[in-house]
Amino acid sequence: MIAAIDAEVTVLRQLLDNRALNRGTVASVLHDAAMLGLPPVETLLAKDVISDEDVGQAYADLLGLRYLDLTRRRPSTPWVLSLPENVARRKNCLVFGEVGGHLVVAVGDPSDPSVRAELEEHFDRAIQYVVSPRYQITELQDELYGDARRKGARMVEASPMARRTATVSSVGLNFIEQLDSIIDEAVDRRASDVHIEPEADRLRVRLRIDGRLIESRAYPLDATPGFVSRVKVMSNLDITEKRRPQDGRFTQRSFEQDLDVRVAVLPTVHGERVTLRLLNMDRSNVDFSKLGMELSCEQAFDRLIKRPHGIILITGPTGSGKTTTLYAALQRINSLDRHIVTIEDPVEYRVGGINQVQIDHEHGVTFAGALRSILRHDPDVIMVGEIRDQETARLALEASLTGHLVFATLHTNSAVGSLTRLLDMGCEPYLVASAVVGVMAQRLVRRVCRKCAKPHAANDTERELMSIPPERGEVEVLRGAGCARCHRSGYFDRIGIYELVEVDTGLSDLLMHKASTEALQNHAVASGAHTLRQDAVAKVLHGETTLEEAMRVTVAEM
């Protein structure tokens, strides 16, 4: 049914035959696709040259299949639920119903032979394929699977083998399948964390997507022990212990990628809750160009990390991207002639060529103790995951003065705030002024979804917030209207905003005299440092994010 053909080229020809494209557009898009490294059809969709309907109709005409508009005919919910959600989402398909003894399945890409192989593994019967727009399939998946979860519906694996081997609970839930489905959905929606939390009347699952928690699904409350036990088994935790917190980790493969899943279990009044932090094992290879730094900031930061010694601080709240920035810096300077050691709690990403030390309080491996030991191993570069106490701070500062380049993180609201924080921790002013060479404060803001972004003229209030003078002409900013790609949020992915302060002679003198944070900030700005608010507004004007996002993450500067 689905031939192994060069689908991209053949679909382009079909789109030409259907007059959805002209040859000039195809030539231009083929050039852009080669430059961007994207498939031609995906490039056409991203540029809104064609629609999902055009692609679906082209596939249908090409392969002699029926084209089905799902806005005119809805599938049968019981049939939809006969296929596990993770399979349906991974293969972008939807079981529609039954006609003439054949199972009817709507697919977004009928040229993919793995779709048929996956479905035949689950259904031992004849299948009739139809082609539907991908966004329509995704929207119905969100609606129907979401409704079923909220009602606590039974969603049991359709495969006979899975039914024979999997453990099914009293409420009809296959916990192995359901946990896999939750993780697959989280990966599909780019979530960083999964929260499985019991409430008074239900078990709620929420995903943290682009920094915001979004409810994903719900189960009957008595499903809580089954989910918790499954997580504990996978992460080698004590199943019988339900009165104290436990931490662990396990690995999981989802959508052809390996995940390192960090697990935290916490007892609450309604039962044990679980938080899963999803870490892509391949994300350690991150470059500055992907973080969102402005060119001037990137060049200044690049100069700092190539210094032979000194301490560089990265500051910001939890979840602001500090670890990613640190790994990008280490990747930039990682070479055969440098000995780089990190001290982390926990080690989030494995990086080749770098010695990484995991904190283990139960066995006496602390930040201070590990740092003291590392200094005896002749390191060139040291990364301290977090400075939490005076001893660690003092050791890091002293290490930077004895010929080592040190990276460290602190939890403060601004760049200069980390300098006064070190003083508050009891570090001598001369030590801070001599050792610290630069401080980077950062936050993450949500990007405007490129698929549904719409320009609008900034009104007077917005212009005032962005400090745009009246004499400047009309200024356009972007806002996402909401679409299937961004799950109606108007945002897709995140980008960093940065405030880099280099410690010069003037700032050192102020530190020696224990100047206030306000005085330090005024000097930094006068010396040319751009604040977080200024960088956020610049990204609004460049169409990267919205003013609402910029104000939300820089509220401390108001």
Side-chain angles (χ1 to χ4, degrees), residues 140-153:
L140 281 170
Q141 287 172 344
D142 292 342
E143 177 188 341
L144 298 177
Y145 284 109
D147 287 345
R149 288 193 299 267
R150 284 187 287 274
K151 294 174 183 176

Side-chain angles (χ1 to χ4, degrees), residues 175 179 196 198 203 223-235 237-239 241-242 246 263 265-266 271-274:
F175 294 116
L179 186 61
I196 304 174
L203 177 66
T224 302
F227 275 108
V228 174
S229 295
R230 174 60 183 161
V231 170
K232 287 181 176 180
V233 167
M234 295 181 71
S235 47
L237 300 180
D238 186 353
I239 296 179
E241 178 57 70
K242 300 180 181 180
Q246 297 188 68
V263 177
V265 181
L266 181 70
E272 291 178 286
R273 64 157 289 154
V274 175

Side-chain angles (χ1 to χ4, degrees), residues 476-505:
E476 284 193 340
V477 293
L478 294 181
R479 181 177 289 116
C483 63
R485 178 175 182 259
C486 62
H487 298 280
R488 305 299 171 190
S489 69
Y491 297 97
F492 188 88
D493 205 3
R494 290 190 288 179
I495 188 172
I497 60 171
Y498 302 91
E499 175 182 316
L500 178 61
V501 174
E502 297 184 69
V503 179
D504 56 15
T505 303

Side-chain angles (χ1 to χ4, degrees), residues 6 20 29 44 75 121 151 165 230 250 346 352 356 393 431 488 490 493 498 509 519 523 534:
D6 186 353
V29 168
L44 287 165
E121 184 179 337
K151 294 174 183 176
T165 59
R230 174 60 183 161
F250 63 87
Q356 297 172 274
L431 196 57
R488 305 299 171 190
D493 205 3
Y498 302 91
D509 290 341
H523 175 84
Q534 290 173 323

Side-chain angles (χ1 to χ4, degrees), residues 444-461:
L444 292 176
V445 294
R446 293 181 292 173
R447 286 182 186 264
V448 174
C449 175
R450 293 297 178 186
K451 187 77 172 176
C452 62
K454 303 292 182 186
H456 76 276
N459 59 36
D460 292 341
T461 302

